[in-house]
Amino acid sequence: MKKGASMALEYSPIVLDSINHDNFPKVELFVRLDGKYTLYKPEKTKLTIHNIERLRENGTEFVYIDSKDSEEVQEHVEKRLDDSRAASLLSQYSKNLICSQMIIKAVDDVFKKPNQPAMFEKCRAILRKVGFRFEDRDELIALFGKLEDNFDKYLINHSTQTTILALFMGERLFNAGRDDLVSVGTGAMVHDIGMLSISSDITEKMDVLSENEYYRVKLHPKYGIDLLNSAGVTDRIVHDITLGHHERYDGSGYPRGLDGFEIPRYAMLVSICDIYCALTMNRPYKSASTPAEALRTMKSERKLFDPDTLAGFLGIMEDTALPETVEVAKEAPAAARSIDMAEIRELKKQMRSPNADRNKLVKMHSIITDNINSTYGEERAALTELRTELKNLLKSLFSDVSGDTTSW
């Protein structure tokens, strides 16, 4: 018995290894052959271990369900997730696939119901559960290829790949703690949520956008913040990423035209991951670049990115061996807090010291940027003024070395 596109069903992929045959819901299960979906298990037939083993022997990694059953099946997968991750019989590759599936479902849910706070909290809950591990960058690239082959919603798949890459890079480049990684991951999951406020005649257009259409698309970071606010999402990192993932280091980005160290570090990180994932995914109007081509493109436009973050990113993505950490960011970023006048005076003293070196000044700028939004009153005004002075000092220092500030 076959059910194809003529029956107008929407199919959702399920990683085979995420299924526990003992208590799998009584839903129809399909396999895909030559682009067609074939019924493998009828609704009232119990799934057995022999069914699972036969599928594995045939090299099946994904089975499919009718999307109307996705909530019930996802609940099954979530309950099994911890056991699946810990199971000694599962390869890390399978565990990575299962975690990816969980993120895809959470992203899909929040995009379908962006005004419901529970959907955003679900994103955070999933990120607290999942864990990815890659031996080298080739495993990461292979995972992305597998996701693109099996999950056909571009925006959902793109947001998922960006999330996985941002989580990985956040840990490697910034030694980010678990709480920050959850916030970074949530921000990456919803960074494009403002696209929901852009009309479908633009988002689904198969040709190059007109100037007016592009202007409307450039509003999506602000629309995203509106959606976050309406859902009661207040996480500063999530807001930074949603509003700032199209800001560029040379000031050419949008919506605020921030430049250099004004751009929050995690917004810049997600921006880099966002661009890489966009370049390496197929679009209706543009074929995907290879990973090597994407990296060459990003290097040719290095003025758009924070130089240290880009250097760390390239160092990982151009090497098949993944280092334990990256030299540019061995220390975890400081937690955001209010800074008082005594601390501001001490920062100013350190900044104006003739013995202050560039690395310490860069770190100081990051500390100020990370904490400025949680500082208020005259302290915030003083801190903002100090950041401007520090920014100009850093520009002059980098200009002295390179002879050209446009490359920084």
Side-chain angles (χ1 to χ4, degrees):
M1 174 181 177
K2 292 187 178 182
K3 294 187 178 183
S6 61
M7 299 193 70
L9 293 183
E10 182 182 347
Y11 297 93
S12 295
I14 300 295
V15 178
L16 181 63
D17 283 339
S18 70
I19 292 175
N20 181 352
H21 67 279
D22 283 336
N23 53 14
F24 187 72
K26 291 184 178 179
V27 300
E28 291 181 322
L29 207 58
F30 299 83
V31 293
R32 189 171 70 176
L33 300 171
D34 299 324
K36 296 182 179 179
Y37 296 90
T38 302
L39 183 65
Y40 182 78
K41 184 196 79 68
E43 180 178 351
K44 296 182 179 180
T45 302
K46 179 177 173 54
L47 188 66
T48 68
I49 185 62
H50 301 293
N51 298 142
I52 299 291
E53 291 304 323
R54 189 176 300 115
L55 288 167
R56 285 200 181 105
E57 289 171 3
N58 291 333
T60 301
E61 291 182 306
F62 290 86
V63 290
Y64 298 83
I65 58 171
D66 186 339
S67 291
K68 67 178 176 59
D69 298 320
S70 62
E71 291 298 328
E72 186 178 7
V73 173
Q74 191 69 8
E75 184 178 349
H76 165 84
V77 174
E78 287 187 29
K79 289 180 178 178
R80 177 169 159 75
L81 178 61
D82 291 336
D83 290 338
S84 297
R85 289 177 55 208
S88 59
L89 295 178
L90 288 181
S91 66
Q92 186 59 45
Y93 169 77
S94 291
K95 296 172 187 176
N96 288 342
L97 274 181
I98 295 169
C99 291
S100 301
Q101 172 183 299
M102 300 296 296
I103 290 178
I104 283 176
K105 182 61 169 62
V107 172
D108 196 28
D109 286 345
V110 78
F111 272 65
K112 286 177 178 175
K113 301 174 182 178
N115 294 316
Q116 295 190 13
M119 295 299 101
F120 292 89
E121 184 51 44
K122 184 176 181 181
C123 290
R124 300 183 70 88
I126 291 299
L127 289 167
R128 293 187 191 103
K129 288 185 179 182
V130 300
F132 295 90
R133 191 169 73 245
F134 303 98
E135 291 299 323
D136 55 46
R137 64 92 190 263
D138 291 337
E139 286 191 1
L140 183 70
I141 293 169
L143 174 67
F144 287 172
K146 190 66 66 175
L147 297 182
E148 190 164 8
D149 288 343
N150 289 277
F151 296 90
D152 56 6
K153 294 181 180 179
Y154 172 81
L155 191 57
I156 305 302
N157 198 345
H158 168 73
S159 298
T160 299
Q161 291 191 29
T162 302
T163 299
I164 295 169
L165 191 55
L167 289 171
F168 177 73
M169 290 293 172
E171 187 173 15
R172 293 282 175 166
L173 297 181
F174 297 129
N175 194 25
R178 191 64 183 171
D179 289 344
D180 268 10
L181 286 176
V182 169
S183 293
V184 170
T186 303
M189 289 169 81
V190 304
H191 75 278
D192 270 339
I193 199 166
M195 294 297 289
L196 296 176
S197 299
I198 309 295
S199 61
S200 60
D201 63 313
I202 294 178
T203 58
E204 297 175 6
K205 188 175 181 179
M206 303 287 286
D207 201 355
V208 177
L209 298 179
S210 69
E211 184 176 342
N212 182 58
E213 289 168 335
Y214 183 53
Y215 170 79
R216 290 159 67 186
V217 167
K218 288 168 68 174
L219 295 174
H220 79 269
K222 290 185 177 179
Y223 292 151
I225 292 297
D226 291 341
L227 285 170
L228 294 182
N229 288 333
S230 69
V233 178
T234 60
D235 188 308
R236 180 181 60 85
I237 292 176
V238 176
H239 276 247
D240 284 347
I241 291 170
T242 303
L243 186 60
H245 68 279
H246 280 287
E247 300 290 353
R248 299 293 178 250
Y249 199 78
D250 65 351
S252 64
Y254 60 86
R256 293 177 291 173
L258 302 182
D259 69 338
F261 301 104
E262 293 176 333
I263 304 170
R265 69 171 74 187
Y266 288 132
M268 176 55 68
L269 175 66
V270 172
S271 171
I272 290 173
C273 296
D274 176 34
I275 291 174
Y276 175 85
C277 292
L279 289 171
T280 55
M281 291 185 69
N282 285 304
R283 302 294 297 272
Y285 53 85
K286 185 179 182 297
S287 297
S289 299
T290 66
E293 290 169 343
L295 295 177
R296 282 197 295 271
T297 298
M298 296 175 74
K299 283 192 285 187
S300 72
E301 297 289 343
R302 63 175 65 247
K303 67 180 182 179
L304 304 179
F305 313 108
D306 169 66
D308 285 342
T309 306
L310 180 64
F313 179 87
L314 294 173
I316 290 175
M317 295 305 292
E318 291 184 323
D319 191 351
T320 56
L322 298 181
E324 285 303 311
T325 188
V326 176
E327 183 67 23
V328 299
K330 289 184 177 178
E331 299 181 41
R337 59 184 179 80
S338 177
I339 295 181
D340 60 31
M341 290 302 294
E343 291 175 291
I344 293 172
R345 286 193 293 270
E346 178 61 28
L347 287 170
K348 186 177 295 187
K349 179 180 176 182
Q350 293 176 21
M351 182 189 75
R352 293 175 177 175
S353 168
N355 298 322
D357 62 34
R358 284 192 308 163
N359 290 333
K360 288 183 178 179
L361 293 174
V362 168
K363 181 179 178 183
M364 183 188 300
H365 196 287
S366 295
I367 292 172
I368 293 173
T369 299
D370 285 346
N371 292 280
I372 200 168
N373 288 333
S374 57
T375 302
Y376 301 93
E378 63 176 348
E379 287 85 359
R380 180 167 184 168
L383 201 58
T384 301
E385 182 180 347
L386 180 62
R387 184 173 69 170
T388 300
E389 182 180 348
L390 181 54
K391 172 186 168 183
N392 292 332
L393 175 60
L394 286 167
K395 280 187 175 181
S396 67
L397 290 175
F398 282 121
S399 179
D400 289 343
V401 174
S402 68
D404 180 9
T405 58
T406 60
S407 62
W408 297 95

